[in-house]
Amino acid sequence: MRRERGPVGQMGRALPPRVVAAERAASARGFTKSCLPEVGRLLALAVAAKPGGVVAESGMGAGVGTAWLHSGLGPGARLFTVERDEELARRVADDYADDERVSVLIGDWRLLERHAPFDVFFCDGGGKRDDPQAVIDLLAPGGLLLLDDFTPSPEWPPRFEGEVDELRVFYLTHPDLDATEVLTSPAGSVVIGARRARR
Ligand SMILES: C[S@@+](CC[C@H](N)C(=O)[O-])C[C@H]1O[C@@H](n2cnc3c(N)ncnc32)[C@H](O)[C@@H]1O
């Protein structure tokens, strides 16, 4: 059984079996953009915090993030994941044919819209950069948004490659979100936000 070498508190903890299988599949295909276990634990935690919730993932890749989200899914919850690469998506769909809570969508991330609002949204493919406001609009009140692959920056506003990271600033300061940035590894961070309920 493979175990993580992650931060203190996670060390030695076994990875969920579907995560191990997805990591193997990613490796066999040469797919290198899967989320790390440190991010995966955060995904599972967010889903577990919304029992019975509607969960979404934009950009499933080889299914590693999907497997982490799935590991936190309660009995009445639903998971919608979308990928525009048909070959990748069909393989992941096969892996979840045994679980009616999971729907694998093939095509552009906007296919998610008809299943919104979401209680958890891991936006890791389309939407994150090309239409961030639409991403926030898909969240239910109290819904959690997770965005990974940021580079930790010690200053405000955060910078990436010498420039102000306007995208990160957009999410972190959006009036409809309570958001913060969490360090998941020395070289990577996640922006996590909760959509404010309107009065
Ligand atoms: C970072 S990878 C996803 C990794 C995966 N979420 C994980 O954690 O293992 C990004 C994926 O998003 C997909 N993608 C990019 N733009 C997309 C779009 N507009 N609609 C659907 N999928 C998209 C890419 O094909 C790629 O597989």
Side-chain angles (χ1 to χ4, degrees), residues 90-158:
R90 289 210 183 280
R91 201 204 60 76
V92 176
D94 286 348
D95 292 344
Y96 291 93
D98 62 336
D99 193 334
E100 61 186 15
R101 297 171 302 171
V102 181
S103 298
V104 173
L105 312 174
I106 303 174
D108 188 68
W109 77 282
R110 288 185 193 275
L111 288 173
L112 289 173
E113 285 171 3
R114 70 187 69 156
H115 305 287
F118 300 124
D119 299 296
V120 178
F121 187 6
F122 178 36
C123 188
D124 201 28
K128 177 181 174 183
R129 292 178 190 285
D130 52 287
D131 200 346
Q133 181 58 50
V135 167
I136 292 170
D137 289 343
L138 293 184
L139 293 170
L144 299 173
L145 175 65
L146 297 107
L147 307 145
D148 84 343
D149 287 337
F150 290 101
T151 301
S153 168
E155 58 204 322
W156 182 264

Side-chain angles (χ1 to χ4, degrees), residues 31 33-35 57-65 82-85 88 107-109 122 124-126 149:
F31 186 86
K33 295 180 186 162
S34 302
C35 66
E57 179 186 32
S58 161
M60 80 189 73
V64 174
V82 66
E83 171 59 52
R84 68 181 175 189
D85 181 319
L88 285 173
D108 188 68
W109 77 282
F122 178 36
D124 201 28
D149 287 337

